[in-house]
Amino acid sequence: LEGANGPGAGKTLVLDLAGHTLTAKEGERVFVTSGNLVINDSSGDNCGKLTGGSAANNSGGAVMIYGGGTLTLNGGTITGNTANVEGGGVFVNGYGTFNLQDGTISNNKSTASKNISYHYGGGGVYSNGHLYLSGGTITGNTATADGNGVFVKRSASVTLSGDVQIKDNIKD
């Protein structure tokens, strides 16, 4: 997915991790700018991973969603990613949408401190767009500012249903 900017408007790209680990190069992450990215893990135990992503002086350590893009996580784990601003694991901006239906978002970090002009945080997930949480787990994420597991900006929409677990996230 190096250099990928999503599947394109009106299109869907399905990525089956199948138990494999995708490790980002330094300073790289997945951008979903339009269309739909669906991540599955057919291994049955969510051992497939997106890891190693980093956003120096930016947001979305593993995945940045904006411009009407949609990410649906049906399985696998987003883990071990860092953003120096918002959303250590996943960053949802403006018109973007994130659907967490299954899978895990764990051990991601948002490392920037809060300042007067911005709201930094969201060790696991930061949303200023549309957030649908119906399953899966958000755990073990850290933030030096607000929202250790999840930070939802006032202008965002959130829908909670099903059996999503948000637990054991840590203020760093």
Side-chain angles (χ1 to χ4, degrees):
L1 294 174
E2 181 178 348
N5 279 319
K11 297 186 179 180
T12 298
L13 173 65
V14 178
L15 172 64
D16 183 358
L17 296 172
H20 298 283
T21 298
L22 295 178
T23 304
K25 293 179 184 177
E26 179 68 29
E28 293 190 352
R29 58 203 194 275
V30 176
F31 290 87
V32 184
T33 57
S34 63
N36 306 296
L37 174 60
V38 178
I39 300 176
N40 299 321
D41 185 3
S42 62
S43 70
D45 61 1
N46 285 331
C47 65
K49 298 176 188 173
L50 289 180
T51 190
S54 61
N57 301 313
N58 213 323
S59 302
V63 182
M64 177 180 256
I65 308 162
Y66 63 99
T70 298
L71 170 66
T72 300
L73 183 63
N74 290 324
T77 301
I78 295 174
T79 186
N81 302 284
T82 302
N84 291 110
V85 185
E86 299 152 330
V90 177
F91 175 83
V92 187
N93 194 11
Y95 299 106
T97 301
F98 177 43
N99 300 306
L100 177 60
Q101 296 179 350
D102 194 9
T104 302
I105 299 173
S106 65
N107 303 312
N108 300 288
K109 295 180 182 180
S110 170
T111 60
S113 60
K114 186 176 182 180
N115 84 20
I116 236 151
S117 300
Y118 299 96
H119 295 282
Y120 294 109
V125 177
Y126 174 97
S127 182
N128 185 28
H130 308 287
L131 183 60
Y132 298 93
L133 304 174
S134 61
T137 303
I138 300 172
T139 187
N141 301 287
T142 60
T144 54
D146 299 323
N148 309 324
V150 179
F151 182 93
V152 178
K153 196 162 181 185
R154 211 175 335 195
S155 57
S157 68
V158 178
T159 302
L160 294 171
S161 64
D163 186 25
V164 64
Q165 296 182 33
I166 302 172
K167 62 181 184 176
D168 303 325
N169 296 286
I170 304 157
K171 176 88 167 175
D172 195 16

